[in-house]
Amino acid sequence: MSIMGRLLVIANRLPLNTIRKAGELHFRPSPGGLAVGLSSLPESIERLWLGWPGVTNEKLKAEQKDQIIERLAAEDCHPVFLSRRQMEGYYQGFCNKTIWPLFHYFPRRTVYEARFWKTYRQVNEAFCDEVIKVAKPGDSIWVHDYQLMLLPQLIRQRLPGSEIGFFLHIPWPSFELFRLLPWREEILNGLLGSDLIGFHTYDYVRHFLSSVSRITGLEHMLGNVSVANRVIKVDAFPMGIDYEKYSRAIEDPNVKKEANKIRRKIGERKIILSIDRLDYSKGIIERLEAFDLFLSENPQYRGAVTLIMVAVPTRTVVEDYRELRSRLEQLVGRVNGEYGTMGYIPVWYLYRSLPFAELTALYNVSDVALITPLRDGMNLIAKEFIAAKADKAGVLVISEMTGAARELGEALVVNSCDKTAIVEAIKEALEMPPLEQIERNKVMQKRLRRYNISRWSQDFLDALFDIKKTQEQMSANRLSDSMAEKLAEDCHKGSKRLFLLDYDGTLVGFKGKPAEAGPDEEIVALLQCLSRDPRNTVVIISGRDRATLENWLGHIGTALVAEHGGWIRRVGRKWQSPVPFEMDWKETIRPILDLHTDRTPGSTVEEKDFSLVWHYRRADPELAYVRRHELRGALVNLTENLDVGVFEGNKILEVKSRGVNKGRGAQHWLVEQDWDFILAAGDDYTDEEMFSVLPDEAYSIKVGFTASRARFNVDSVKEIRLLLNKLLGDLDGTS
Ligand code: G6P
């Protein structure tokens, strides 16, 4: 395990819940998967848990707050106190009326309220304040779940170098759902403050990356996203359970006793078990309706099967949850009224949470577990049921809309919206030969034992460490202040200085329409000053066409290279082309580009003397991604026997003569003199050709943090401008 300092775990709830009864404080463990998962980390990792203690400020006297702080500290916990008003807007409001329904595919239940959003932001800020108070250098920070999606970025702003992981315990919905959220961009930016973002399944990863690409324009490479020059990782970490705890539960005499008790009460009847928090996302009503249909279509099972339905109270202050309870209880009454007899109650309904012994006893005696949420991030109950079966028979029926179904393929997997399919699955489960049941369970048990809860937390923390290491390696080449000083000093000493500067992405930023990226006053003034000094030779070396470069930069006294070296214009001279002009290939290629442009709204074709370029910056990113692959394939095929190459740049695909490149363009100047200072800067693949022909002592700078032949990297266009300004300042001082 790779943690250096402490592990700060930040979640809405703490593993110890504070309850206020008759003015007195009581503390109860709230054992969730997360608390168990982290308790299995090596002892050597010091932990501190931050979260809401469970009571709002209004109910607490000052000394009670101190009492909470003290009691929690003994359990390595630290409270984030919140007021009733804050809990209303943040927890009941934005978390449970906005994010929860939307992310579980219930757009019609979703409430979009600006005041909920405002409080959500405030509470995330309050969490951040508390983190800042307790964090020490070297701590790793792990933020959990949808209640705290703004927190990673908030922490990043105040502790820029910190190591931050984020895990979402609920589904990440498809872009079509997520786009409905008025604060979608803020939420994404909040999360992108992390170094590692984890989800339960690859589907959620895929949906998240799609939202990132469509909303922020940031692309990913194998789950790596470059955000403000930090590379961050997005990956799937399916959460497991404490396998041994469940598989060995029945060895405990209390559990055995409990199991026998239930069996005695139910007698020979088969038991179907249903356990969930009483949440509309769990499909409990639909499940009971399916059971109703099952009994109506299969009269032979009336009196022979009992459904034990455990509904754990949750979020009882939210109206949707209260309504659900009364609907469910009505339905239970109806089904029992319809099929019950003096000695037979079809549905045993419990509205409470169960202690461990009772829960595992139920797992043990049940013949079937019917777990059919309409949507569920993971669902650990399903995994617990399989583990608790040990070597016994028992069939899991699970909804394909749960994260867990991805790992439990040997179960009976059903579409939870398809009542007929649930009815059939219940029958199939009840009639499956016991040997087959055991066989299926064994395969799943092996998997669950291996990918257990401690493996989950360790994998996540290892991945966090790995991505940090990657970031460090990448920033090792960052142009440091001291290196910039040295560069300025060498520049200052030189009297024959060559500047080879790329234009787009290096001197000016990108624009939606390439034609709009003309030079601003600042860059014009900078280049003018630089080229005014007779000791400086400034060359703008670009892929743009001649006319555009001339129009934008023709008057400022720099040499110009257009079309990656296809055209050259020395100061005060005319354009010259150092390469022969053979462009017959364009006739073949152009129609293919046109066809793809017609099929990709927002994309355009640019024709230059030496190349054809397909631009897709303004097209839908996912469509463009597909089209780019198709187009690339077609072009590579067609150009195989020509002296023409297909190149991928920043939101472009370019077909150009192989002989034309920035390396050759730069050579015209490199061989001209014995330069005593060379500075080359660029951001794109075409600039790599320029970097590769430079002498070793030249300063080469890449804008951005992807792999490059350049000696140094800088963050942005802004940094290049600052550097040039610095050089000018120093030079002015000496002239
Ligand atoms: C889900 C969420 C958790 C939450 C739990 C209980 O599993 O992902 O963050 O703690 O439900 O919900 P509650 O509203 O009672 O905290």
Side-chain angles (χ1 to χ4, degrees):
M1 181 66 39
S2 33
I3 298 259
M4 308 295 286
R6 295 175 307 170
L7 176 64
L8 302 189
V9 178
I10 309 164
N12 179 48
R13 286 184 191 276
L14 290 168
L16 199 66
N17 202 28
T18 309
I19 296 158
R20 194 174 160 276
K21 249 193 205 157
E24 291 290 308
L25 296 185
H26 302 266
F27 297 90
R28 300 241 172 85
S30 41
L34 185 57
V36 176
L38 299 176
S39 66
S40 64
L41 288 173
E43 285 285 307
S44 56
I45 300 176
E46 204 185 317
R47 262 150 278 183
L48 181 63
W49 195 303
L50 275 84
W52 179 60
V55 229
T56 51
N57 289 347
E58 289 77 359
K59 293 192 180 153
L60 296 170
K61 299 189 195 110
E63 62 272 20
Q64 286 185 313
K65 278 193 171 179
D66 292 339
Q67 193 190 337
I68 292 178
I69 294 173
E70 206 175 301
R71 178 69 179 79
L72 291 181
E75 306 279 336
D76 300 324
C77 293
H78 180 88
V80 180
F81 289 109
L82 298 172
S83 68
R84 191 162 55 88
R85 195 196 56 78
Q86 282 177 318
M87 279 310 270
E88 272 167 16
Y90 149 78
Y91 174 75
Q92 290 147 42
F94 200 73
C95 292
N96 290 332
K97 290 190 185 144
T98 311
I99 297 295
W100 183 272
L102 187 64
F103 280 37
H104 285 86
Y105 292 71
F106 291 93
R108 293 189 58 192
R109 285 185 191 261
T110 307
V111 176
Y112 305 100
E113 281 252 14
R115 78 196 154 92
F116 289 169
W117 161 247
K118 209 170 129 212
T119 319
Y120 181 79
R121 216 176 40 208
Q122 257 179 22
V123 170
N124 273 251
E125 281 161 5
F127 267 80
C128 182
D129 289 343
E130 228 39 63
V131 174
I132 302 297
K133 274 190 219 157
V134 301
K136 294 186 199 153
D139 286 349
S140 299
I141 298 172
W142 191 358
V143 181
H144 288 268
D145 228 357
Y146 64 103
Q147 298 92 346
L148 299 171
M149 290 191 284
L150 301 178
L151 191 54
Q153 188 63 39
L154 291 171
I155 302 176
R156 172 82 48 217
Q157 280 159 3
R158 292 170 69 181
L159 302 173
S162 51
E163 186 172 305
I164 308 175
F166 178 91
F167 189 84
L168 188 76
H169 293 258
I170 65 172
W172 186 276
S174 106
F175 169 70
E176 287 306 327
L177 265 283
F178 182 65
R179 73 188 307 181
L180 300 176
L181 190 66
W183 308 280
R184 56 199 185 184
E185 205 167 339
E186 288 90 333
I187 293 286
L188 285 182
N189 287 333
L191 291 170
L192 292 173
S194 320
D195 297 303
L196 173 66
I197 305 177
F199 297 93
H200 282 304
T201 73
Y202 279 106
D203 283 339
Y204 307 156
V205 168
R206 202 163 49 76
H207 291 155
F208 176 74
L209 288 171
S210 153
S211 295
V212 168
S213 137
R214 282 157 182 256
I215 293 166
T216 69
L218 295 170
E219 300 286 355
H220 77 99
M221 275 265 283
L222 299 169
N224 290 333
V225 188
S226 261
V227 187
N229 289 317
R230 249 173 348 109
V231 63
I232 72 163
K233 177 101 193 153
V234 181
D235 209 348
F237 302 87
M239 192 176 187
I241 54 167
D242 183 350
Y243 185 85
E244 296 303 321
K245 187 170 156 206
Y246 287 91
S247 74
R248 304 183 59 174
I250 198 64
E251 293 168 19
D252 177 343
N254 283 329
V255 177
K256 228 177 243 160
K257 211 165 91 197
E258 199 58 53
N260 290 337
K261 205 165 92 191
I262 304 170
R263 206 7 109 199
R264 259 200 319 277
K265 285 203 178 126
I266 306 252
E268 285 303 295
R269 288 189 189 110
K270 296 263 185 185
I271 303 175
I272 300 179
L273 176 63
S274 150
I275 305 187
D276 317 80
R277 282 187 308 104
L278 185 44
D279 194 298
Y280 52 81
S281 63
K282 305 286 183 183
I284 306 174
I285 298 276
E286 294 75 1
R287 191 178 315 167
L288 190 48
E289 283 170 354
F291 183 65
D292 180 11
L293 188 62
F294 169 76
L295 289 182
S296 106
E297 286 180 356
N298 297 281
Q300 73 277 24
Y301 277 107
R302 294 181 202 160
V305 51
T306 300
L307 173 67
I308 301 186
M309 184 163 249
V310 184
V312 178
T314 184
R315 303 175 195 170
T316 44
V317 276
V318 181
E319 305 83 70
D320 276 6
Y321 289 75
R322 284 206 297 259
E323 250 171 54
L324 176 65
R325 179 181 175 190
S326 67
R327 270 188 71 199
L328 178 64
E329 290 176 357
Q330 268 181 27
L331 189 57
V332 170
R334 197 179 62 64
V335 175
N336 280 342
E338 182 127 9
Y339 304 105
T341 61
M342 281 308 174
Y344 172 57
I345 304 170
V347 186
W348 284 26
Y349 170 70
L350 306 177
Y351 179 65
R352 59 186 167 88
S353 65
L354 297 181
F356 182 75
E358 228 177 292
L359 177 72
T360 43
L362 263 179
Y363 288 153
N364 193 271
V365 296
S366 299
D367 298 283
V368 177
L370 189 58
I371 300 184
T372 54
L374 299 174
R375 210 44 83 154
D376 206 339
M378 173 47 80
N379 198 300
L380 296 177
I381 301 272
K383 293 187 171 182
E384 290 168 8
F385 172 76
I386 293 294
K389 278 295 165 200
D391 52 2
K392 278 186 62 184
V395 182
L396 170 66
V397 178
I398 188 160
S399 152
E400 64 185 51
M401 313 306 172
T402 62
R406 296 274 166 280
E407 296 161 77
L408 301 172
E410 293 75 12
L412 299 183
V413 181
V414 291
N415 172 354
S416 48
C417 298
D418 185 347
K419 231 163 264 165
T420 320
I422 302 180
V423 169
E424 277 166 17
I426 294 176
K427 192 151 183 286
E428 189 183 342
L430 290 172
E431 292 169 9
M432 188 185 285
L435 266 182
E436 183 182 340
Q437 301 184 20
I438 292 171
E439 278 309 305
R440 288 178 184 241
N441 290 348
K442 269 192 189 150
V443 185
M444 293 188 273
Q445 283 162 345
K446 201 166 148 212
R447 209 174 293 137
L448 295 177
R449 184 180 291 127
R450 199 143 37 98
Y451 289 98
N452 63 8
I453 182 72
S454 54
R455 172 85 184 262
W456 170 79
S457 47
Q458 294 200 3
D459 275 3
F460 186 90
L461 293 174
D462 285 347
L464 181 57
F465 179 74
D466 286 349
I467 191 69
K468 255 335 221 198
K469 225 167 47 191
T470 310
Q471 286 176 1
E472 274 158 23
Q473 276 158 5
M474 286 180 113
S475 65
N477 295 341
R478 178 185 283 273
L479 184 73
S480 61
D481 287 351
S482 61
M483 228 29 226
E485 282 303 325
K486 169 87 173 57
L487 184 154
E489 218 174 85
D490 286 352
C491 177
H492 181 101
K493 280 195 279 191
S495 56
K496 285 178 282 175
R497 313 177 187 121
L498 175 63
F499 295 83
L500 297 167
L501 306 173
D502 165 51
Y503 180 75
D504 290 276
T506 304
L507 296 177
V508 299
F510 288 105
K511 291 272 159 55
K513 283 190 191 156
E516 286 168 357
D520 51 278
E521 278 175 25
E522 184 194 51
I523 196 65
V524 169
L526 228 162
L527 293 172
Q528 267 169 344
C529 285
L530 204 61
S531 28
R532 213 174 281 144
D533 187 328
R535 291 168 292 184
N536 297 344
T537 298
V538 184
V539 186
I540 307 296
I541 182 158
S542 165
R544 294 248 179 198
D545 64 80
R546 282 184 292 169
T548 308
L549 280 190
E550 171 132 13
N551 181 19
W552 285 350
L553 304 165
H555 59 291
I556 58 179
T558 67
L560 299 175
V561 174
E563 297 208 23
H564 309 109
W567 293 101
I568 284 175
R569 201 192 82 156
R570 290 170 194 277
V571 184
R573 305 262 197 83
K574 287 200 168 133
W575 287 101
Q576 284 181 319
S577 178
V579 272
F581 202 85
E582 280 169 21
M583 295 300 131
D584 302 346
W585 57 266
K586 280 190 187 167
E587 299 312 309
T588 324
I589 300 298
R590 170 123 213 175
I592 317 244
L593 294 188
D594 286 342
L595 179 73
H596 279 75
T597 305
D598 291 341
R599 293 170 57 205
T600 319
S603 69
T604 50
V605 177
E606 179 191 10
E607 174 154 4
K608 295 190 273 186
D609 292 335
F610 293 92
S611 63
L612 286 172
V613 192
W614 186 63
H615 291 263
Y616 57 86
R617 183 172 299 277
R618 277 155 55 92
D620 175 277
E622 292 205 339
L623 178 63
Y625 179 81
V626 176
R627 292 280 184 268
R628 188 186 79 197
H629 277 282
E630 284 173 10
L631 182 56
R632 196 171 199 290
L635 292 174
V636 167
N637 214 322
L638 271 167
T639 54
E640 225 165 33
N641 301 318
L642 299 171
D643 192 23
V644 167
V646 182
F647 303 89
E648 286 196 50
N650 200 322
K651 313 267 182 192
I652 59 148
L653 201 66
E654 178 150 25
V655 189
K656 68 179 169 77
S657 303
R658 285 188 195 278
V660 179
N661 67 58
K662 286 191 180 177
R664 293 213 182 155
Q667 285 289 13
H668 292 282
W669 276 270
L670 287 169
V671 297
E672 202 168 68
Q673 283 210 44
D674 201 4
W675 304 101
D676 48 22
F677 174 82
I678 301 174
L679 171 66
D683 72 305
D684 205 353
Y685 78 102
T686 57
D687 301 308
E688 294 299 316
E689 288 158 339
M690 160 170 80
F691 296 144
S692 68
V693 298
L694 299 174
D696 290 350
E697 64 282 4
Y699 285 95
S700 47
I701 304 181
K702 154 112 184 171
V703 183
F705 279 81
T706 45
S708 168
R709 289 203 187 101
R711 286 173 60 200
F712 303 103
N713 297 70
V714 295
D715 268 356
S716 57
V717 168
K718 199 167 142 207
E719 258 193 75
I720 290 284
R721 290 189 181 198
L722 279 174
L723 179 71
L724 293 178
N725 258 314
K726 177 178 170 54
L727 298 183
L728 272 178
D730 288 3
L731 296 176
D732 276 357
T734 62
S735 53

